[in-house]
């Protein structure tokens, strides 16, 4: 077992509590201007000042009777690896033509009703082999890793029938086995109503409840079930039934909520105490209050608002009301082809008025809470995976300061340099 000693770093990390960070705690970051940390067997064993960490290092080196491998980080800022808690990074083709349609004035729901949007991706994914789907998706994850994402959630939802949804989940599991990143699979058969059920959508909800969810649970791959609660997609009543069934078969639950209209999705997320509610561009004050009461992580997707030319979600209001805020790319082929968490952090600071500290917590620890990984990733603490980014700067503020670039020197996963 190699002992790795990382020194001469400006270490910035949130600290795990009993609940996601909210309110003023959203901005709490531990800092060591001349920090060090110790890594063994892919996990952090000590972090702090050089004197304190060297004491741990001496004890471990004596116990193991071997010399440590030392890394001088030259005074650079070090932060936890990014956790991206909302992506659709399993698909088979891009949809650039829809970007031009949106610029010409077509709305997201207009494109969906015309057979584009999600349904276009469904046709491509249904026709792709597992190997083709894996190769395309692996390239996406390689790029996200380059931008510092060491843990990523990937949703299904471009199958919309039992066989293809299971195929997607198998590909997502394979991504976790054959790429350096930790990959969290989410089942999202309730992403849209497929074309073949357009005239009888209740029958598709019945299929989700009676066939798809039991089949997904039997496969033992997905950790979460997500549902798109939105006008023209799944109603609050349908969403509630799907989420309850998901819990019944052993899946944790999350929601696409109030993206286009204030349908009451955020309130439902608070009611069922979902792990997260995501998008929330149209969430009302009452919906935000429900998230805060339920301890639901509000996963905000500023790159999606940017791509759709919509106002950003009300992050400041959410923090002031006590709802924990996380950030994600929403990497998908249509409404937001964004692979860069640094860009998302920059948008959160410059467009949603988060401080650099609040944005860092949102992109790491709170994001980890949103996907049930808070005890493994999201901060540099003893016992957690040694996932970290060496920034090309002296503080996390460089992520917003160097907007649109990649202010990263290196990316590390389990104590190994991966980008």
């Amino acid at each position: 077992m190699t002992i790795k000693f990382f020194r001469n770093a400006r270490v910035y990390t949130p600290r795990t509590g009993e609940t996601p960070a909210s309110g003023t705690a959203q901005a709490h970051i531990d800092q060591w201007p001349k920090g060090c940390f110790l890594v063994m067997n892919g996990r952090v064993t000590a972090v702090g000042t050089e004197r304190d960490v060297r004491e741990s290092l001496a004890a471990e080196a004596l116990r193991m009777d071997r010399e440590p491998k030392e890394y001088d980080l030259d005074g650079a800022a070090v932060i936890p690896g990014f956790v991206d808690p909302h992506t659709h990074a399993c698909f088979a083709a891009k949809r650039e033509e829809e970007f031009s349609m949106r610029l010409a004035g077509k709305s997201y729901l207009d494109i969906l009703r015309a057979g584009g949007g999600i349904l276009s991706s469904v046709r491509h994914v249904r026709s792709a082999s597992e190997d083709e789907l894996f190769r395309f998706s692996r390239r996406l994850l390689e790029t996200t890793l380059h931008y510092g994402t060491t843990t990523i959630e990937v949703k299904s939802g471009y199958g919309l029938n039992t066989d293809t949804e299971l195929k997607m989940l198998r590909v997502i599991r394979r991504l976790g086995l054959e790429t350096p990143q930790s990959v969290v699979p989410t089942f999202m058969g309730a992403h849209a109503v497929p074309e073949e059920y357009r005239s009888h959508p209740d029958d598709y909800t019945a299929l989700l409840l009676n066939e798809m969810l039991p089949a997904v649970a039997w496969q033992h791959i997905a950790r979460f079930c997500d549902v798109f609660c939105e006008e023209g997609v799944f109603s609050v009543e349908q969403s509630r039934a799907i989420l309850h069934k998901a819990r019944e078969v052993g899946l944790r639950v999350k929601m696409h909520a109030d993206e286009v209209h204030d349908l009451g999705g955020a309130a439902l997320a608070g009611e069922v105490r979902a792990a997260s509610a995501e998008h929330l561009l149209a969430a009302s004050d009452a919906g935000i209050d429900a998230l805060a009461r339920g301890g639901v992580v509000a996963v905000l997707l500023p790159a999606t608002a940017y791509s759709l030319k919509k106002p950003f979600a009300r992050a400041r209001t959410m923090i002031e009301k006590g709802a924990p805020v996380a950030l994600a790319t929403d990497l998908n082929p249509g409404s937001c082809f964004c692979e860069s968490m640094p860009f998302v952090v920059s948008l959160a600071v410059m467009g949603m008025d988060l401080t650099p500290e609040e944005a860092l917590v949102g992109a790491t620890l709170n994001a980890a809470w949103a996907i049930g990984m808070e005890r493994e990733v999201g901060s540099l603490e003893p016992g957690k995976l040694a996932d970290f980014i060496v920034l090309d700067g002296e503080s996390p503020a460089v992520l917003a300061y160097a907007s649109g670039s990649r202010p990263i020197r290196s990316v590390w996963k389990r104590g190994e340099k991966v980008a």
Side-chain angles (χ1 to χ4, degrees), residues 258-273:
D258 300 341
E259 178 183 4
V260 183
H261 302 97
D262 177 22
L263 199 68
L268 176 60
E271 172 195 321
V272 301
R273 294 185 177 270

Side-chain angles (χ1 to χ4, degrees), residues 348-370:
V349 172
M350 303 304 293
M352 296 199 299
D353 294 328
L354 269 64
T355 66
E357 294 78 15
E358 289 169 337
L360 179 61
V361 172
T364 56
L365 184 57
N366 275 2
W369 276 97

Side-chain angles (χ1 to χ4, degrees), residues 38-57:
L38 196 60
V39 174
M40 290 190 298
N41 198 28
R43 293 184 181 267
V44 176
T45 60
V47 59
T49 66
E50 183 161 347
R51 185 180 68 178
D52 291 343
V53 175
R54 278 197 182 277
E55 289 179 2
S56 297
L57 173 63

Side-chain angles (χ1 to χ4, degrees), residues 54 72 94 148 171 242 254 285 355 371 394 407:
R54 278 197 182 277
D72 185 341
K94 299 177 183 179
V171 168
I242 292 165
K254 50 174 60 228
D285 285 349
T355 66
I371 55 173
E394 297 182 351

Side-chain angles (χ1 to χ4, degrees), residues 202-363:
D202 287 342
D203 289 349
Y204 183 65
T205 300
L207 181 72
L208 281 161
L209 296 172
N210 300 321
E211 178 179 306
M212 295 173 75
L213 276 165
V216 167
W218 183 85
Q219 194 184 40
H220 296 295
I221 294 176
R223 299 190 202 176
F224 288 88
C225 172
D226 196 342
V227 57
F228 193 177
C229 183
E230 184 54 74
E231 186 176 307
V233 192
F234 293 91
S235 68
V236 168
E237 293 74 19
Q238 290 169 323
S239 298
R240 182 183 286 109
I242 292 165
L243 296 173
H244 281 310
K245 181 65 176 184
R247 279 235 174 94
E248 183 183 308
V249 299
L251 299 175
R252 295 186 66 186
V253 298
K254 50 174 60 228
M255 294 180 64
H256 282 48
D258 300 341
E259 178 183 4
V260 183
H261 302 97
D262 177 22
L263 199 68
L268 176 60
E271 172 195 321
V272 301
R273 294 185 177 270
S276 63
E278 310 178 3
H279 284 289
L280 301 170
L281 298 181
S284 65
D285 285 349
I288 294 170
D289 288 337
L291 297 179
R293 287 194 303 272
V296 180
V297 179
V299 177
L300 306 185
L301 314 169
T304 307
Y306 171 85
S307 178
L308 296 175
K309 292 188 169 184
K310 291 189 173 229
F312 292 110
R314 295 186 295 149
R316 280 258 60 89
T317 300
M318 294 175 190
I319 290 174
E320 289 164 3
K321 286 178 170 287
V325 168
L327 300 171
T329 62
D330 192 22
L331 170 57
N332 72 73
S335 62
C336 184
F337 189 78
C338 175
E339 300 163 298
S340 170
M341 281 296 285
F343 178 61
V344 168
V345 170
S346 178
L347 286 176
V349 172
M350 303 304 293
M352 296 199 299
D353 294 328
L354 269 64
T355 66
E357 294 78 15
E358 289 169 337
L360 179 61
V361 172

Side-chain angles (χ1 to χ4, degrees), residues 124-135:
H124 285 110
V125 168
R126 285 182 178 180
S127 64
S129 70
E130 284 195 33
D131 283 343
E132 289 169 337
L133 188 56
F134 172 78
R135 287 193 296 270

